[in-house]
Amino acid sequence: MPKNLMIRPELERASGRIEFTPIPVNQYNRPLEVESNRRGPDALLRIYRDMAIIRSFESMLNEVKLNGKFHGVEYSHRGPAHLSIGQEAAAVGQAFLLGVEDHIYGSHRSHGEILAKGLSAIERLEDDALMEIMEGYFGGECLRVVEKDATGAVKDLAIDYLIYGALAEIFGREAGFNRGLGGSMHAFFPPFGIYPNNAIVGGSADIAVGAALFKHVNRRPGIVIVNIGDASAGCGPVWEALCFATMDQFKRLWDEAHRGGLPLIVNFVNNFYGMGGQPVGETMGFGMLARLGAGLNADQMHAERVDGFNVMAVIDAFERKKAVLERGDGPVLLDTVTYRFSGHSPSDASSYRDKTEIEAWKQVDPIVTYADELVQAGLAGRQQVRELVSAAEALVAKAYLKAIDLQISPRADLKKTGCLLERVMFSGRKIEAMAPGIPETLMERRENPRVRQLAGRSRSAFDGKGQRLPKGRCVGLRDALFEAILDRFYTDPTLIAYGEENRDWGGAFAVYRGLTEALPYHRLFNSPISEGAIVGTSVGYALEGGRPLVELMYCDFMGRAGDEVFNQLSKWQAMSGGLLRMPVVLRVSVGSKYGAQHSQDWSSMCAHVPGLKVVYPATPYDAKGLMCSALTGSDPVVFFESQRIYDMPEEFAPGGVPEGYYEVPIGEPDFKKRGKDLTILTAGATLYRALEAALELEGKYGVDCEVIDARSIVPFNYGPVLESIGRTHKVLLTSDACERGSFLQTMAARIALLGFDLLDAPPVVVGARNWITPADEVEDAFFPFPQDMLDAVHEHILPLRGYSVRRACDRSELMRRDVLGV
Ligand SMILES: Cc1ncc(C[n+]2csc(CCOP(=O)(O)OP(=O)(O)O)c2C)c(N)n1
Ligand SMILES: [Mg+2]
């Protein structure tokens, strides 16, 4: 909503037509002799070699999956292997001109792309650089396997290394590129510019947009290519990625130094099939995939269809499109036509396609036709071609024997305490700035209008005499978050923030008021209403080495970003074998007044998925300290904020909220009130209602409560809670999440297990009812209020003298509700 972009009725209402420009389709037409002059005859042979290596590699996997052996040597590979036999020219053509600073992201079917990009990188890198990479990568573990029988040239060693590293990864071995924790569908090798491949169809699309965003914002060299399948064109997140990547603001609003389109090629590897569904003619209506570019921006994304069975046409296309990106005119959409001879997976009987169709494509096999062309052009003899194939087969056979051997290539022992996987689930680093440099800001921090405004506010809820001040005169929770975030923007040059209504609006709930004045567009901007892409791009931005702070306006919208939160944000650190870091902070606000689709607390869902840190502060002091910790950590943190308490001042920390930087450790609960009879453990905004309950319990029934604020959900230190229960012998847990499946149930079960001997009564959870959230006016029937807490205490923990239950919650009532599922 920038004010300088006026929407004029006379223009918007004027009649006219949208003009499209023709989209080129398979326009390449250049004799191989000409290419030989341009690229050099050796390069043309190398192209053949690379395609032959990929074909051998994939054929070996096909045989292993189908027959349980290769060249008579048995091996059972239980995991997946989505092969790209037939698609080699598309992969090799793409990689041919790329440097290691050009990054590719891929799909479940990316073995060919990995090998092609790796072979191209090996060709380009000097021997010293190759050795340095191989020696440095995971302490040279993979190199040690292949160097034993190295015969000479470093480039040959590097090719062995590439093939073995990829295969060992596919077979789940510790010396694999991702220590066996990625596997076939997630294997990658960043030193060669090979970035994560993704088992979720279209999953790489928004991640790659974020990677291109990182390069664009931080002015890094190179481009980003995302290889996704034709069927992924039907995925919502792919559309979100395309919308995000083509935002006008890059070319219209960002400052001069950052103006221009993202350096991104969205390459649809179009093999005409999903698994068995056919986008063209059946499941989609675009006819020709390149058509999609036409709707996305005025450049039509420079869309083009390329003949991916002609390796030279692919090289030509990537060369031209790279130039488009380099002049700041991206992004680009390519529709690279290809075909897989193999099934979706080797066991696929291809029941969905006619044998004559497969035969027709085999007749124009890109490797065979290219060899014919080489021979016809006098660039190679038949014998030479056969030798290249034999050499490729030998390379693959050598890697196979090493990769299947448990002595040479063991798997990580995941049963021992402190095992590899345990160590790489979180990276746990403290990093002030993700890269060196001076953070770009627009004003001195002290001149910031909000900083000035807050200077006049009380840092505490109370005045010097202990009298409560009006909220408007105090620093509130939203202000405390702002202070932490502002501080980090002046420290970490890679830090960027975006989401819906983040810039001129000041963040949907005014946390960012004052940031717009302080930051240029490329550090704070509005995104489209694309929750998936908001989170997905943040993953890509972080994978490339930056720190993003992104926001989902309401917790309930997390459903729209389900894959990005639960499969991408959470899993890449571990799937990379600990190579990558994911310093993403995802702010999520939890509503209460806007009905069923705007008021649910989904913290439990995040806690359930391994790999996410989850925090839920309830006080300004904790919110600021936890935000500082999150924004200097290296792990993904889902940062829950309750809209109920954004204006809450600091009531607990003596001295109020410190002005400067400080940290609250993630994972440590905090005592908000001391007591000796009953422990109350809260998560989020229920803290205040629990304190009210504590007052009533003490005042009317003489039950002295100890109130502990969990502050964090994952990780969580049970020590202080058990210590408290050791004194009180009773515990009530409460949060605004619906009670069934709430994380507090996990906490209650854990406490019962760890503190069984300490307890006089079962741990009791008081959550919201297992309903939709009703209107705000009747919220006390739904969310836990002090009376619900007292009822639960009386019924299940400690009968309160003279107390009469206000709302039934005894065992039979709970069972009744469970039978109904409410
Ligand atoms: C989100 C999601 N839905 C479904 C699947 C199951 N699946 C795996 S591959 C595939 C087909 C993908 O087709 P396409 O994107 O064209 O890639 P291709 O397999 O042809 O390379 C499907 C449906 C998945 N992995 N992810
Ligand atoms: Mg496909």
Side-chain angles (χ1 to χ4, degrees):
M1 308 157 313
K3 287 187 198 140
N4 57 337
L5 294 181
M6 175 137 175
I7 312 291
R8 296 183 185 281
E10 68 278 16
L11 290 183
E12 300 306 326
R13 301 187 64 224
S15 74
R17 277 188 188 79
I18 300 174
E19 302 287 349
F20 292 95
T21 47
I23 292 177
V25 174
N26 300 329
Q27 290 284 317
Y28 176 84
N29 182 12
R30 205 182 283 136
L32 200 60
E33 289 81 356
V34 177
E35 293 291 9
S36 174
N37 291 336
R38 291 178 75 205
R39 320 271 178 209
D42 289 350
L44 266 54
L45 282 182
R46 227 175 30 246
I47 288 168
Y48 184 79
R49 178 203 67 179
D50 292 358
M51 290 198 289
I53 290 175
I54 297 171
R55 177 69 60 93
S56 298
F57 186 90
E58 296 280 77
S59 302
M60 170 270 294
L61 283 173
N62 197 39
E63 203 183 321
V64 170
K65 284 299 286 183
L66 287 179
N67 306 325
K69 60 185 171 200
F70 174 62
H71 285 184
V73 183
E74 289 189 1
Y75 182 63
S76 158
H77 170 54
R78 283 154 52 177
H82 299 92
L83 307 178
S84 57
I85 299 173
Q87 302 185 183
E88 298 85 353
V92 172
Q94 168 182 118
F96 182 72
L97 290 171
L98 300 182
V100 288
E101 70 284 2
D102 299 319
H103 296 173
I104 60 166
Y105 287 75
S107 74
H108 55 284
R109 199 181 302 289
S110 283
H111 300 162
E113 290 145 21
I114 296 170
L115 295 179
K117 182 76 163 67
L119 290 164
S120 161
I122 291 168
E123 183 56 31
R124 272 150 195 280
L125 289 167
E126 300 290 336
D127 286 358
D128 287 354
L130 281 171
M131 284 312 301
E132 201 180 319
I133 287 171
M134 292 189 288
E135 276 162 1
Y137 195 78
F138 286 132
E141 201 172 332
C142 179
L143 177 64
R144 277 194 291 282
V145 177
V146 289
E147 72 185 351
K148 285 199 185 95
D149 51 6
T151 48
V154 169
K155 285 201 192 307
D156 290 335
L157 175 64
I159 292 173
D160 277 337
Y161 177 91
L162 172 72
I163 297 172
Y164 169 78
L167 188 57
E169 184 55 42
I170 292 167
F171 289 165
R173 307 309 173 101
E174 200 169 357
F177 279 160
N178 313 105
R179 314 202 78 186
L181 298 180
S184 163
M185 296 195 281
H186 312 109
F188 63 102
F189 188 72
F192 288 166
I194 306 162
Y195 273 70
N197 298 300
N198 215 304
I200 302 298
V201 171
S204 279
D206 48 18
I207 292 177
V209 175
L213 183 70
F214 175 81
K215 284 188 183 287
H216 189 60
V217 167
N218 299 285
R219 298 198 198 89
R220 296 292 200 272
I223 66 166
V224 175
I225 296 172
V226 61
N227 294 305
I228 46 179
D230 49 319
S232 80
C235 298
V238 172
W239 276 97
E240 292 194 2
L242 292 170
C243 293
F244 196 111
T246 50
M247 286 193 289
D248 274 338
Q249 62 180 297
F250 297 130
K251 291 177 183 167
R252 292 185 69 174
L253 295 175
W254 287 27
D255 63 33
E256 202 74 34
H258 293 88
R259 196 161 303 158
L262 294 185
L264 173 74
I265 298 178
V266 180
N267 183 42
F268 285 94
V269 183
N270 184 359
N271 60 13
F272 297 90
Y273 286 94
M275 283 173 62
Q278 231 169 307
V280 176
E282 187 188 18
T283 66
M284 295 200 69
F286 50 64
M288 246 189 239
L289 203 152
R291 181 195 301 278
L292 299 183
L296 284 151
N297 66 6
D299 297 329
Q300 303 187 177
M301 285 192 79
H302 309 274
E304 193 170 323
R305 166 171 278 198
V306 185
D307 179 7
F309 258 37
N310 180 346
V311 70
M312 286 299 153
V314 182
I315 295 174
D316 169 72
F318 276 90
E319 188 169 37
R320 286 184 292 105
K321 298 305 180 186
K322 203 175 171 200
V324 170
L325 303 191
E326 279 161 0
R327 63 169 195 259
D329 232 358
V332 161
L333 185 151
L334 280 181
D335 166 8
T336 303
V337 169
T338 184
Y339 194 82
R340 57 168 163 77
F341 304 148
S342 39
H344 164 68
S345 52
S347 56
D348 157 15
S350 283
S351 54
Y352 50 88
R353 53 182 180 171
D354 202 294
K355 297 261 176 305
T356 55
E357 178 185 292
I358 303 175
E359 235 3 86
W361 284 90
K362 280 189 174 170
Q363 288 300 316
V364 288
D365 183 325
I367 302 188
V368 175
T369 52
Y370 184 64
D372 291 345
E373 277 189 63
L374 283 173
V375 173
Q376 275 158 23
L379 294 164
R382 286 282 167 206
Q383 181 58 22
Q384 207 177 353
V385 169
R386 274 193 294 274
E387 280 167 12
L388 285 171
V389 172
S390 309
E393 285 171 352
L395 283 172
V396 169
K398 187 157 84 168
Y400 174 76
L401 292 178
K402 288 190 174 119
I404 63 169
D405 188 323
L406 275 171
Q407 298 297 321
I408 300 172
S409 308
R411 299 178 197 283
D413 176 0
L414 299 182
K415 289 189 177 159
K416 68 176 181 208
T417 306
C419 71
L420 170 65
L421 203 35
E422 192 176 306
R423 294 197 306 275
V424 298
M425 284 304 298
F426 294 111
S427 47
R429 301 285 182 86
K430 185 104 275 189
I431 306 170
E432 286 273 320
M434 294 300 295
I438 299 165
E440 289 166 283
T441 52
L442 299 176
M443 58 170 58
E444 290 287 321
R445 206 192 307 200
R446 61 176 182 280
E447 285 168 13
N448 187 286
R450 190 165 183 189
V451 170
R452 287 174 172 218
Q453 184 193 41
L454 294 178
R457 301 249 178 105
S458 165
R459 313 289 308 175
S460 157
F462 309 104
D463 66 13
K465 298 189 196 106
Q467 294 298 309
R468 189 177 281 277
L469 292 162
K471 280 181 181 168
R473 287 181 49 200
C474 305
V475 169
L477 191 144
R478 62 158 63 81
D479 304 315
L481 288 171
F482 163 78
E483 288 183 346
I485 292 164
L486 188 76
D487 185 87
R488 295 294 92 198
F489 266 112
Y490 281 79
T491 312
D492 186 340
T494 74
L495 179 61
I496 59 170
Y498 56 93
E500 292 153 29
E501 332 311 344
N502 268 201
R503 193 167 169 91
D504 306 71
W505 193 289
F509 304 101
V511 172
Y512 291 170
R513 239 188 308 124
L515 276 191
T516 308
E517 294 87 329
L519 299 170
Y521 254 102
H522 62 275
R523 301 195 75 197
L524 175 71
F525 57 90
N526 290 334
S527 72
I529 315 299
S530 300
E531 283 80 7
I534 290 170
V535 182
T537 52
S538 78
V539 170
Y541 190 88
L543 289 179
E544 294 276 339
R547 185 187 293 285
L549 168 63
V550 290
E551 178 185 344
L552 296 179
M553 198 190 284
Y554 277 80
C555 181
D556 314 66
F557 307 164
M558 200 183 280
R560 278 280 176 93
D563 177 54
E564 286 75 5
V565 177
F566 301 132
N567 275 318
Q568 312 295 346
L569 187 63
S570 56
K571 294 181 180 167
W572 278 112
Q573 292 202 105
M575 286 199 294
S576 74
L579 192 72
L580 299 175
R581 299 194 190 131
M582 192 65 74
V584 176
V585 177
L586 172 60
R587 295 184 46 235
V588 179
S589 94
V590 181
S592 62
K593 294 189 281 204
Y594 268 43
Q597 295 177 333
H598 279 63
S599 308
Q600 202 171 342
D601 166 352
W602 281 5
S603 53
S604 313
M605 299 208 201
C606 295
H608 180 68
V609 176
L612 297 172
K613 291 188 173 173
V614 186
V615 301
Y616 200 171
T619 69
Y621 178 90
D622 291 342
K624 181 171 177 179
L626 283 167
M627 184 57 85
C628 287
S629 293
L631 287 176
T632 50
S634 60
D635 291 309
V637 179
V638 187
F639 202 102
F640 282 86
E641 300 165 17
S642 170
Q643 288 172 28
R644 292 170 180 276
I645 52 172
Y646 268 134
D647 62 353
M648 210 65 188
E650 180 54 41
E651 298 182 0
F652 305 95
V657 186
E659 272 176 58
Y661 177 90
Y662 64 92
E663 291 172 13
V664 166
I666 294 176
E668 288 298 321
D670 184 48
F671 290 86
K672 292 292 195 279
K673 177 187 175 305
R674 291 290 182 172
K676 58 180 180 16
D677 300 326
L678 168 69
T679 302
I680 305 181
L681 176 59
T682 72
T686 40
L687 168 68
Y688 298 96
R689 278 161 276 149
L691 286 163
E692 278 178 47
L695 263 184
E696 191 174 341
L697 279 163
E698 194 165 355
K700 293 192 185 157
Y701 306 100
V703 179
D704 183 12
C705 298
E706 182 141 283
V707 179
I708 304 178
D709 177 1
R711 303 197 293 192
S712 301
I713 295 172
V714 181
F716 187 75
N717 178 9
Y718 283 90
V721 178
L722 292 171
E723 181 246 307
S724 170
I725 294 169
R727 285 182 275 105
T728 63
H729 309 294
K730 299 173 242 352
V731 61
L732 177 91
L733 303 94
T734 182
S735 89
D736 283 335
C738 289
E739 166 269 331
R740 184 175 60 226
S742 151
F743 189 72
L744 291 191
Q745 296 289 8
T746 302
M747 286 182 158
R750 201 46 130 222
I751 289 167
L753 181 80
L754 300 173
F756 188 70
D757 297 334
L758 308 173
L759 286 162
D760 286 346
V764 174
V765 173
V766 179
R769 294 294 301 271
N770 299 312
W771 301 341
I772 61 159
T773 311
D776 190 44
E777 289 78 359
V778 289
E779 66 164 5
D780 60 348
F782 175 74
F783 288 114
F785 271 72
Q787 67 167 60
D788 304 300
M789 299 174 198
L790 265 77
D791 286 348
V793 170
H794 179 73
E795 283 292 2
H796 303 291
I797 299 178
L798 173 74
L800 304 171
R801 192 184 299 262
Y803 182 83
S804 43
V805 167
R806 282 169 276 193
R807 193 178 186 195
C809 64
D810 55 26
R811 289 179 203 180
S812 63
E813 166 62 9
L814 295 185
M815 285 178 70
R816 184 191 71 81
R817 294 179 194 169
D818 285 340
V819 165
L820 295 173
V822 295

